[in-house]
Amino acid sequence: MKKVIMTVDVEGHDGSDPVTHLIMGKTVDGTSYGIGKLMDIFDYHHIKGLFFVDIAEAWDYGEAEIATVLRYIKGRGHDCGVHIHPDHMADTNRLFLWEYTKNEQREIIKKCTDFYIKILGEKPKAFRAGKYGANRDTLDILVENGYLCDFSEFVGQRWCQIEPPVAYNKATRLSSGLLEFPVTSYKSFTFGSYCRNDKLDASMAMNEFRYLVPRLVMEDCVDPIVMFVHSFSLLDWRKTPDKPRVNRKNIKKLDMMLAIFKEESSLTFVSLDELLDQSIMSEDACETIISIKGFRSWRFFMQRACSVIKMRVETKMWNTRRRKK
Ligand SMILES: [Zn+2]
């Protein structure tokens, strides 16, 4: 059976109260469509999610707030992992862990790990760098801190600086003992020397997702499949981060995506512990990456470009309006 794991990046980088609105998902009408709603959906589908909480936000938005988030997820029976966007606790101009020296990274990761242990009373097992911004130093430091696995590597994404890659699309055990579960990456568009890699994400277009999943299931070089969601994935928030609204289309889409995974008879959802127990580690590098080619890749590329432009215009318009006030 091929495995799929549902991962959620829990974070908020905008507005005056990101924990309330972009993590807990409190909308303008008082309802909540953040991590609680995601857990409702996962529970309905009998899926145990792995929630990567941006611990760095504890020193930006409040330790009590981030502690509540961690306890809430664990209390509902889902798993927590450590996620770090270092700009929230260290240097606002350095967004990627690889921009910090090894000692600086050591300090940042240790501080976040200690916070996790203090709040949940256990050692974290899983890590994911904010913006996949890890390098080899990061992986060494995870071993020093007793982590069992890392989910940061994203082959083909320049924000990730684990070079050369330690894994492609398959679980790999490093000589240090650390397990790498790479972000499921595929070549979404190739034109001449230009190549773009994307990941499986709840925000992607439904037709692209539907096309990809059976291919990922069939490809031996992909295991586990790593799915991405964010704590704010069910919201419209970019224009109004303090007054988000529920995006019912996205709820329906996530539900449909989970149903598509479930329709694949050779695919099974696993929890973090099941993944750690059941992963047969790749002995040799399996470098095959699925690629979408021809007319289809152009169509998906245009779709993506349109949604990115729309998002950027909305954010920019809002920011300009805010600045004028
Ligand atoms: Zn993140």
Side-chain angles (χ1 to χ4, degrees), residues 39-85:
M39 288 189 274
D40 292 344
I41 295 173
F42 298 165
D43 289 347
Y44 176 81
H45 288 275
H46 305 288
I47 295 166
K48 194 167 180 179
L50 172 55
F51 289 73
F52 285 106
V53 179
D54 183 10
I55 308 282
E57 291 177 22
W59 295 283
D60 201 349
Y61 309 144
E63 294 184 32
E65 282 75 4
I66 298 303
T68 303
V69 169
L70 283 166
R71 287 194 194 104
Y72 176 49
I73 295 165
K74 194 175 175 211
R76 286 201 48 179
H78 292 265
D79 289 317
C80 295
V82 170
H83 189 49
I84 302 181
H85 281 269

Side-chain angles (χ1 to χ4, degrees), residues 1-4 217 222-224 262 264-270 278-280:
M1 282 292 247
K2 183 165 288 194
K3 297 168 286 300
V4 53
V217 171
V222 178
D223 197 16
K262 293 243 153 153
E264 292 287 341
S265 55
S266 58
L267 198 62
T268 180
F269 271 100
V270 288
Q278 295 171 19
S279 286
I280 300 160

Side-chain angles (χ1 to χ4, degrees), residues 230-267:
H230 280 88
S231 50
F232 45 73
S233 287
L234 305 179
L235 301 167
D236 281 328
W237 61 272
R238 288 182 195 279
K239 274 192 272 188
T240 52
D242 287 330
K243 290 178 185 168
R245 287 174 191 281
V246 57
N247 183 324
R248 298 207 181 269
K249 256 193 196 162
N250 284 1
I251 298 179
K252 206 171 159 199
K253 191 161 79 168
L254 178 60
D255 226 28
M256 279 165 72
M257 287 175 164
L258 298 181
I260 287 173
F261 277 134
K262 293 243 153 153
E263 277 166 18
E264 292 287 341
S265 55
S266 58
L267 198 62

